[in-house]
Amino acid sequence: MTSKPNTPLLDTVPTPNELRQLKPDQLRQLADELRTEMIDAVSTSGGHLGSGLGVVELTVAIHYVFNTPDDKLVWDVGHQCYPHKIITGRRDRIRTLRQGGGLSGFTKRAESEYDPFGAAHSSTSISAALGFAMANKLNDKPGRGIAVIGDGAMSAGMAYEAMNNAAQAGNRLVVILNDNDMSIAPPVGGLSAYLARMVSSSEYLGLRSLASKAVKKMSRRMHEMVGKAEEYTRGMVTGGTLFEELGFYYVGPIDGHNLDHLIPVLENVRDTSEGPVLIHVVTTKGKGYKYAEESADKYHGVPKFNVVTGEKTKGASGPPAYQNVFGDTLAKLADDDSRICAITAAMPSGTGVDRFAQAHPERSFDVGIAEQHGVTFAAGLAAQGMRPFAAIYSTFLQRAYDQVVHDVAIQNLPVRFAIDRAGLVGADGCTHAGSFDITYLATLPNMVVMAAADEAELAHMTYTAAEYDEGPIAFRYPRGNGTGVTIPEKLEKLEIGKGRLVREGSKVAILSLGARLEEAKKAADTLEAKGLPTTVADMRFAKPLDEELIARLMRTHEVVVTVEEGAIGGLGAHVLTYASDEGLTDTGLKVRTMRLPDAFQDQDSPDKQYEEAGLNAPQIVDTVLKALKHNSANVDEEARA
């Protein structure tokens, strides 16, 4: 599509203030134009499409009925927030989504007052909305907390922890359960919409209140029995008994695409004194765009695409993706080892566990958005003699850190952690970056921590982890495709705590951990051209360190530089601690550590992110030259400024 779509009504609605001036019979047109605008925008930028298409009408209805931003609207995860961004003053930048300097693909407090809470991890919305609601209540200020949470996110325990603590918020808390997989509700239609309007209406609630007052004059036991009877009768009709038990007034299910159903129910909930309230809305992911509706993944995450044909832009073919190397390798190993099993937390394709599942479905477990459970489940499997692999993104493993410490490391159980998306991840930005796993794992007793430099190393590390039964072991690898190296048919069982020399020099030693190895080799080429013979070591292990190799390189080189795709406290910190303990720096050796900066980096291309972080070959060269006070130092300062 060469021109932007025709959206005459949407053009008059830059913010919810203008939206609330529309007549109810105009909202259908607005929703249609909003959906068209979103499809066109994502076709040019790529991003999350299906989830946003599913909540177009819901977005319009919430902003129409509630007084945002005074009423705080929290989108769980946030990948469905593109329609929300379009009508909250950011339409002029919507085609910069997920690009350097552009809009975040998730909600972000720094972007808009309509984003009261940043989110990109699942199941946080109810807790945050409850916090907003209670703060306003305690300060006697108007304003609700409104959480929109998907049925997938409701699989996480945190959502129920929040609901269990929500009663004090009363009518200031509204939870909207966006059920887009029909996993809870029966098919909805006119009858369910009528029932939802009825049980949320002032007339019903007034009669309910009157009846409650009358029943209170009976015995306490009779009062409780009648209350439970009303609750369970309503629950059996509408399906909300579970939420009633958690203290919520349940309304639904209702059709989330029918504005004639949504608006009256939301208005009733807005005006009632009952609460907290949970509104059960059923939607269709990918709604309104044929190619998304017909796709198995509903166009959840898409590259740029042709709006007319639905054809997605194909990237250049190249080496296999790291997660697929892991999944295929593990599946082959499991052919000969019945103890190997794989666990993922709602990310089977993202971690490569889907490939393992095709070969060994009975040994593959998707636990849902429940990383804590997944890790302790793996610990139980390991304690019973199995060889479990917990395949979890680095950023999501953070959610289960106590389980890693308490249930795995302290008990020295041989759980294998396959840590995907290690390092910087590009368009998803800081919320999904794998910045901290080296630090938070290598500090733990009993833990072995590896990092793959390429896809062949990843295959070797997968095999090494499978064969390691002495305790917990982790291996990290980046997002995206490998380097193109050949993966040997016969895999190598790596010696624990031993690195390898990639090339040898005599002046400079670069100690690389993980996927910066290619940049380290490029830096070595440049240094060699400047007359500085350079050793490059692939350390392979952040813990245990290859102390013998480190000591030898420190005694025979003038400068030692560590390079890693992780935050402070990782390889560099461990190398410095060892060197200090052994007195290896007492003779004037120059040691420099290169790592991610002490900052959360916004979305951009991975190469630009690493340039900003100072971890590309030119920055490695410059670090060495500065350490040597070489006369060609600072040559790249201008480029970095």
Side-chain angles (χ1 to χ4, degrees), residues 201-238:
S201 68
S202 58
E203 292 83 359
Y204 176 87
L205 292 169
L207 288 171
R208 187 175 184 260
S209 176
L210 182 64
S212 179
K213 289 176 182 176
V215 170
K216 281 181 180 177
K217 295 181 180 179
M218 304 178 187
S219 69
R220 179 179 176 184
R221 182 180 179 187
M222 182 62 71
H223 176 222
E224 291 177 351
M225 287 175 61
V226 173
K228 287 294 182 184
E230 189 268 349
E231 174 187 315
Y232 276 101
T233 300
R234 188 156 43 85
M236 283 188 288
V237 173
T238 63

Side-chain angles (χ1 to χ4, degrees), residues 12 64 97 121 204 224 263 268 381 390 417 505 548 593-594:
T12 69
Y64 186 72
L97 275 167
H121 286 193
Y204 176 87
E224 291 177 351
I263 298 294
N268 286 342
L381 286 166
F417 294 98
E548 180 183 350
T593 63
M594 300 186 69

Side-chain angles (χ1 to χ4, degrees), residues 342 353-366:
V353 169
D354 60 335
R355 293 173 174 247
F356 179 90
Q358 290 172 7
H360 307 285
E362 74 287 352
R363 286 186 271 155
S364 175
F365 306 96
D366 184 349

Side-chain angles (χ1 to χ4, degrees), residues 273-284:
S273 59
E274 290 281 340
V277 177
L278 185 138
I279 307 170
H280 184 173
V281 175
V282 178
T283 62
T284 301

